[in-house]
Amino acid sequence: MSSTRPTPPGATIYSVAERAGVSIATVSRVIQRPEVVSGATRQRVLDAIDELHYVPLGAARSLAVRHHEAHGLVLPELAGPYFAELLVGFEERAAELGQSVVLLLADTKRDVDRAVRQLSTRVDGLAVFASTVSAETVSRVRQGRKPVVTVAGGVAAAGLGTESISAENASSARELTEHVLAHGRRRVLFVGDPDLSSDTAARHDGFVAAHRARRRRPAPPVRIAFRENDGTEFAERLLAGEFTADALVCANDELALSVMTHLQDAGRDVPRDVAVVGWDDVMTARYVRPGLTTVRQPVADLGRLAAERLHHLVDGDDPADEPWVLPTRLVLRGSCGCG
Amino acid sequence: MSSTRPTPPGATIYSVAERAGVSIATVSRVIQRPEVVSGATRQRVLDAIDELHYVPLGAARSLAVRHHEAHGLVLPELAGPYFAELLVGFEERAAELGQSVVLLLADTKRDVDRAVRQLSTRVDGLAVFASTVSAETVSRVRQGRKPVVTVAGGVAAAGLGTESISAENASSARELTEHVLAHGRRRVLFVGDPDLSSDTAARHDGFVAAHRARRRRPAPPVRIAFRENDGTEFAERLLAGEFTADALVCANDELALSVMTHLQDAGRDVPRDVAVVGWDDVMTARYVRPGLTTVRQPVADLGRLAAERLHHLVDGDDPADEPWVLPTRLVLRGSCGCG
DNA sequence: CTGTTAGCGCGTTCAC
DNA sequence: GTGAACGCGCTAACAG
């Protein structure tokens, strides 16, 4: 790939054994199960390790035990707090289980599938976020006997021997929308593209359900992407009169915040003129005025569960048929019209 | 560590060779340098690989080539955008260089040094953030012939064969402080503990230097930690009259934002009653009103450079004696008294 | 409690 | 253009 010359030869289990005057088996034991070695020889070995600055070669161990003791995690990006929290939860639980985590960020790569195949070469299992990886590659990995868990992939991701883990979206979306309607809003817009992610799709489903329950016809979703500038652009169109709305249910907080701020800067009053709500409960949501009403997901728990399940799958568990769905919680602040 | 049973035997280079009717050497060639193999046999091998769902074992390759082709990255945590950006830059460059990145988060671990030693077992080199890892452990890793680069570790981290990478802090701090003083502020407080991180120490140095340049005596730093609630607490003490100040230079944006918001909620006018500035230019900084004046660091570049240098060190470069220092930039918004 | 030895799967000379 | 054979460093029986 890159380097020409090999690593300069460091100490090995052999040099340590020689120096301590024992066999390599004993050195190995001192490292793996110190208690089975007599105190005296153990100390001699430890001294030798110290003097030679011995660092065991993980690859050699992995080869011998036929385990990488590492989990792969594929995330689309790391913007905003969502993915960071997911990663933290994953890493935390993985570490508790004695597994390293090898991280792969999809958005900066030319060829994600190649990178994932390469990754699968050095881990015991893979956690992939939603649709960052092609179904074909996932199934290749699966056929290569590596467990895969999908995070926030929706039902579509299940099957193929892949386990699915996600947060509850539809019913919280319904609850949130009902809350907005209960504030007396008549013209509620869903801002975000259901086709862009299964999370968004589920949220839109809940949005529609809430309207149906009140025998109201939901407006068609405003299909825009997730980022700040997408929100700004939408706000412009709204101000220009392209849409009429007295409430906006945005697919996530970044979107909601950029829309809300932009409307306020243009002289609109939130929530009086228009209510704005979002998803994720990012830090900014509690700093803006009014505070942003949103839905908090147990993101770190998603990560933890992914690591946990992956570990069990590597250990030989059969994949669960049913997806794992974690509960979410409404966070009411001022932007929806609440006092 | 955990798992009892080994991975079920998947396809190996041997089974592929057998199936394709060639030797393992040929299979290896097809994977490493396809062009040296004749078209016909190459295709037979590729077919066999496909049919058997062959996934090479990274550990075996690593053992043979004496390279992990992986970099370790040790970060204290992943809260806020700072570390995420650093990680993104690091991962991006590492991937370009064909290296995997193994991530270790220090704050969730019981025994960080143990975890780091364990990590050093499976990577070719280590990038560690500031003082997440004890000097002793770093030097052990170094003596084990693994390159180490320190990010945001200040000058103290240099030496020991370790390369140091950080952002310029002192002179931007001086510039920022001078800017605040130029707005006519008389009683400026530095909020943050210089002993907590070398970044903060350097910022405080700049703060002091700006005062000295005007022949003013800097107030002693308010020694509090970095998090939101630390800021809130400080704001309470300020409101209670424990401190007097017409400007606050906060060690980072999280601190600045929580202080500013809390003061505003208590009826204070920012910047009229008190100016507030910070560091990092987090997303929230441009959403609050007034916008937060802050210093932008090339955080992703820090990460990229760390990955780059690490790679060269692994390749045999001699460690640079001088630390790498990347430039920063003032971002003026309203909270300092501008506009 | 300790030593001997046979792999683990792959890269790589060196012949052919 | 291809194959045979050795070595990478470590773990895990098995013997003693």
Side-chain angles (χ1 to χ4, degrees):
Chain A
M1 197 62 61
S2 58
S3 158
T4 50
R5 76 199 98 171
T7 308
T12 72
I13 200 171
Y14 292 101
S15 52
V16 172
E18 188 176 358
R19 171 142 196 153
V22 299
S23 75
I24 63 167
T26 297
V27 176
S28 180
R29 288 191 195 102
V30 168
I31 295 175
Q32 307 302 327
R33 314 198 314 281
E35 65 279 6
V36 308
V37 178
S38 81
T41 54
R42 188 198 317 156
Q43 194 52 53
R44 297 215 319 277
V45 171
L46 289 175
D47 290 346
I49 288 179
D50 233 46
E51 293 159 10
L52 295 170
H53 308 302
Y54 171 58
V55 178
L57 197 58
R61 171 180 164 81
S62 293
L63 182 56
V65 301
R66 307 171 58 81
H67 257 135
H68 296 282
E69 295 170 323
H71 290 343
L73 177 60
V74 184
L75 258 27
E77 51 170 351
L78 222 48
Y82 180 94
F83 295 114
E85 266 183 57
L86 189 63
L87 173 49
V88 167
F90 188 87
E91 199 273 352
E92 179 183 340
R93 189 73 188 112
E96 288 171 3
L97 296 169
Q99 309 299 307
S100 299
V101 2
V102 185
L103 179 67
L104 182 66
L105 262 25
D107 70 345
T108 75
K109 307 281 177 301
R110 306 192 207 131
D111 189 342
V112 178
D113 290 282
R114 218 183 81 75
V116 171
R117 289 198 302 271
Q118 156 87 16
L119 172 61
S120 74
T121 257
R122 34 173 60 261
V123 297
D124 298 317
L126 235 48
V128 312
F129 189 85
S131 49
T132 42
V133 181
S134 77
E136 190 202 330
T137 297
V138 168
S139 98
R140 274 183 69 132
V141 174
R142 283 286 312 122
Q143 292 177 136
R145 291 181 149 63
K146 307 262 181 189
V148 174
V149 316
T150 302
V151 179
V155 286
L160 305 169
T162 288
E163 250 182 55
S164 164
I165 297 174
S166 56
E168 191 290 307
N169 272 304
S171 80
S172 67
R174 175 169 170 168
E175 197 182 341
L176 178 62
T177 308
E178 278 171 351
H179 179 83
V180 170
L181 291 171
H183 272 303
R185 307 290 162 158
R186 316 299 303 173
R187 176 74 185 173
V188 187
L189 247 41
F190 184 89
V191 184
D193 190 342
D195 291 340
L196 278 188
S197 90
S198 67
D199 271 357
T200 308
R203 290 165 194 178
H204 182 251
D205 289 347
F207 173 87
V208 170
H211 281 78
R212 295 261 160 79
R214 294 203 168 209
R215 308 193 177 284
R216 304 264 294 278
R217 237 193 54 204
V222 181
R223 297 180 178 276
I224 66 173
F226 295 117
R227 299 311 184 59
E228 284 183 61
N229 61 323
D230 302 308
T232 306
E233 204 173 294
F234 165 73
E236 288 293 350
R237 293 164 65 192
L238 188 66
L239 289 167
E242 189 175 333
F243 307 98
T244 55
D246 56 7
L248 304 171
V249 175
C250 302
N252 72 17
D253 282 356
E254 274 178 89
L255 214 51
L257 288 166
S258 63
V259 171
M260 181 169 109
T261 308
H262 207 77
L263 293 178
Q264 289 175 319
D265 286 352
R268 294 292 192 283
D269 185 305
V270 176
R272 200 191 59 203
D273 301 337
V274 53
V276 178
V277 300
W279 250 276
D280 290 351
D281 194 22
V282 303
M283 177 179 119
T284 310
R286 53 183 189 281
Y287 277 105
V288 291
R289 296 293 177 260
L292 182 66
T293 286
T294 183
V295 177
R296 175 175 305 163
Q297 308 184 54
V299 188
D301 287 338
L302 286 177
R304 287 192 198 96
L305 183 56
E308 171 95 28
R309 290 304 308 154
L310 204 46
H311 187 245
H312 287 142
L313 291 172
V314 168
D315 248 32
D317 273 25
D318 292 324
D321 295 327
E322 294 302 305
W324 301 79
V325 178
L326 268 40
T328 56
R329 189 164 60 78
L330 231 61
V331 179
L332 299 179
R333 291 196 262 253
S335 71
C336 58
C338 279
Chain B
M1 199 62 59
S2 58
S3 158
T4 51
R5 75 197 99 172
T7 309
T12 71
I13 199 171
Y14 292 102
S15 52
V16 171
E18 188 176 358
R19 172 142 195 155
V22 300
S23 74
I24 64 166
T26 299
V27 177
S28 180
R29 290 192 193 101
V30 169
I31 295 175
Q32 308 300 329
R33 314 197 315 280
E35 65 279 6
V36 308
V37 178
S38 81
T41 53
R42 187 197 320 156
Q43 194 53 54
R44 297 215 319 278
V45 170
L46 288 175
D47 290 345
I49 287 179
D50 233 46
E51 293 160 9
L52 295 173
H53 308 301
Y54 171 57
V55 178
L57 197 58
R61 172 180 165 80
S62 292
L63 183 55
V65 301
R66 307 172 58 81
H67 258 138
H68 297 281
E69 293 170 326
H71 289 343
L73 176 61
V74 184
L75 257 29
E77 51 168 350
L78 222 50
Y82 181 94
F83 296 112
E85 264 183 59
L86 189 64
L87 173 48
V88 167
F90 187 87
E91 198 275 349
E92 179 182 339
R93 189 70 188 114
E96 288 171 3
L97 296 169
Q99 309 299 307
S100 299
V101 3
V102 185
L103 178 67
L104 181 66
L105 262 26
D107 70 344
T108 75
K109 306 283 178 302
R110 305 190 209 132
D111 189 343
V112 179
D113 291 283
R114 218 183 83 72
V116 171
R117 288 198 302 270
Q118 155 86 17
L119 171 62
S120 72
T121 258
R122 34 173 60 259
V123 297
D124 298 317
L126 235 48
V128 312
F129 188 85
S131 50
T132 42
V133 182
S134 76
E136 190 203 330
T137 297
V138 167
S139 98
R140 275 184 67 132
V141 173
R142 283 286 311 124
Q143 292 179 135
R145 291 181 148 64
K146 308 262 179 186
V148 174
V149 316
T150 302
V151 180
V155 286
L160 303 169
T162 289
E163 250 182 53
S164 164
I165 298 175
S166 56
E168 191 290 308
N169 273 304
S171 79
S172 67
R174 176 170 170 166
E175 197 182 342
L176 178 62
T177 307
E178 278 170 351
H179 179 82
V180 170
L181 291 171
H183 273 300
R185 306 290 163 159
R186 313 301 300 174
R187 176 76 185 173
V188 187
L189 248 41
F190 185 88
V191 184
D193 188 344
D195 291 340
L196 278 187
S197 90
S198 66
D199 270 358
T200 307
R203 290 165 195 176
H204 182 252
D205 288 348
F207 173 86
V208 170
H211 280 76
R212 295 262 160 78
R214 294 203 167 210
R215 309 195 177 283
R216 302 265 293 278
R217 237 193 52 204
V222 181
R223 298 182 177 273
I224 66 173
F226 295 116
R227 300 309 185 57
E228 284 183 62
N229 60 323
D230 302 308
T232 306
E233 204 174 294
F234 166 72
E236 288 294 350
R237 293 164 65 192
L238 189 66
L239 289 167
E242 189 174 331
F243 306 98
T244 55
D246 58 6
L248 304 172
V249 175
C250 302
N252 73 18
D253 282 356
E254 274 176 89
L255 215 50
L257 288 165
S258 62
V259 170
M260 179 169 111
T261 308
H262 206 76
L263 293 178
Q264 288 175 319
D265 286 352
R268 295 290 193 284
D269 185 306
V270 176
R272 200 193 55 204
D273 300 337
V274 53
V276 179
V277 301
W279 251 275
D280 289 352
D281 194 22
V282 304
M283 176 179 120
T284 309
R286 52 181 188 282
Y287 277 105
V288 289
R289 296 294 176 261
L292 183 66
T293 286
T294 182
V295 177
R296 175 174 304 161
Q297 307 184 54
V299 188
D301 287 337
L302 286 178
R304 286 192 200 96
L305 183 55
E308 171 96 26
R309 289 304 308 153
L310 204 46
H311 186 247
H312 288 143
L313 290 174
V314 169
D315 247 31
D317 273 25
D318 292 324
D321 295 327
E322 294 302 302
W324 301 80
V325 177
L326 268 40
T328 56
R329 190 164 60 79
L330 231 60
V331 180
L332 299 178
R333 291 196 264 253
S335 71
C336 57
C338 279

